Amino acid sequence: MSATTTSPARPHLLLPAILTIAGTLVLCTLGIWQLERMGEKHAFIGRLTSQATGEPAPMPASSSWATLDPARLDLTRVSANGSFVDGPFAGVRTTIAAGPPGSRQLSGFGRWIFQGFKLEDGGTILVNRGFVPEARLGEIKPASGPARITGFLRAPESRGSFTPDDIPANREFYTRDPAAIAAALNLPPAPFYLEAERQGDGMTPPAGVDVKELIERIPDNHLQYALTWFGLALTLIGVFTAFAWQGRRKVTAADAP
């Protein structure tokens, strides 16, 4: 009786092919989305750069605030006329990274200084006067009197899962939330706050934001992310191709006389 031999089964490629196609589509979609985000980010940076070299827009009338979208107004450069509200300020804890060699900016652990500002049209907005290192917090006194402030409208900062609880009784906060800060200062809430533009050399606290440094701090890694997603898609296609080719080789070798 002659022995019978059995050939190895041909690899089942249908399910791996479906999974590969689905995975490739998902990865390419993510890559395209990152390219779209890159275009939006570059347009945003271009707008910021243009604003920095031009005249600031007027502060939106307080009567219109309820109809405005803070997210769409975020980082719009404006000027505001009014007077600082007499009373205490609040501090938002933060850490500022040191700048590149040769830069002149305060850094380290400290606080953003928030104080009420009554506008000429009667509205009240919080002004982030700038950063103060913790060791120099005792030097800071509330601002007073009339002023013209140029700066950037900012939307409320969201709270993360690990953000510590605020201490309103001490006027100490961990997010730039204008509603919560205004409540602690007994001021009417506004949907956004005004981040004051830097005046002077940036070494005297409170040091406001410098628009060039602000632009440099905006993350722009979308092209890198897009190439990563497209690279993973190519890798997935390569893995499937190698799997199919290896299975075909085994079947061809088994079928050979």
Side-chain angles (χ1 to χ4, degrees):
M1 181 179 293
S2 61
T4 59
T5 60
T6 58
S7 299
R10 293 182 180 275
H12 298 288
L13 297 180
L14 180 58
L15 181 58
I18 292 174
L19 293 176
T20 299
I21 292 172
T24 300
L25 288 174
V26 169
L27 292 169
C28 287
T29 299
L30 290 171
I32 292 171
W33 175 67
Q34 286 293 339
L35 291 178
E36 292 174 347
R37 290 283 293 120
M38 181 178 69
E40 294 171 356
K41 180 65 67 65
H42 288 176
F44 175 72
I45 293 174
R47 177 173 70 85
L48 251 178
T49 303
S50 176
Q51 287 185 132
T53 58
E55 287 296 316
M59 182 74 188
S62 59
S63 59
S64 68
W65 289 357
T67 64
L68 301 178
D69 181 359
R72 293 181 64 86
L73 286 174
D74 194 39
L75 288 173
T76 298
R77 187 167 179 254
V78 300
S79 63
N81 294 316
S83 298
F84 281 100
V85 175
D86 290 333
F89 58 77
V92 179
R93 290 188 178 274
T94 189
T95 301
I96 302 294
S103 64
R104 291 180 58 79
Q105 66 177 49
L106 296 170
S107 60
F109 180 68
R111 307 189 195 195
W112 297 112
I113 302 301
F114 277 72
Q115 188 171 340
F117 188 75
K118 192 171 183 62
L119 300 165
E120 289 182 338
D121 70 357
T124 301
I125 191 170
L126 285 172
V127 172
N128 178 3
R129 293 170 52 198
F131 173 75
V132 178
E134 194 70 21
R136 302 183 65 178
L137 186 61
E139 302 175 16
I140 307 305
K141 305 300 179 186
S144 61
R148 177 182 175 86
I149 299 176
T150 299
F152 299 88
L153 292 178
R154 299 305 311 267
E157 186 177 25
S158 58
R159 178 176 293 274
S161 302
F162 301 100
T163 304
D165 291 335
D166 299 327
I167 311 176
N170 295 345
R171 300 186 297 278
E172 182 177 325
F173 296 85
Y174 289 87
T175 58
R176 286 170 280 185
D177 180 352
I181 298 172
L185 295 176
N186 295 316
L187 297 173
F192 35 65
Y193 66 92
L194 180 58
E195 193 160 87
E197 199 169 81
R198 178 174 299 172
Q199 302 294 325
D201 61 4
M203 301 302 292
T204 303
V209 64
D210 180 83
V211 65
K212 293 181 179 179
E213 293 175 5
L214 179 64
I215 293 172
E216 289 174 357
R217 290 201 303 266
I218 296 175
D220 185 18
N221 302 317
H222 299 291
L223 180 59
Q224 176 184 336
Y225 294 152
L227 293 176
T228 298
W229 291 124
F230 291 138
L232 289 173
L234 288 174
T235 300
L236 184 58
I237 294 172
V239 169
F240 172 77
T241 302
F243 170 76
W245 180 73
Q246 187 68 20
R248 182 178 179 83
R249 283 190 61 191
K250 290 181 179 179
V251 172
T252 303
D255 290 342

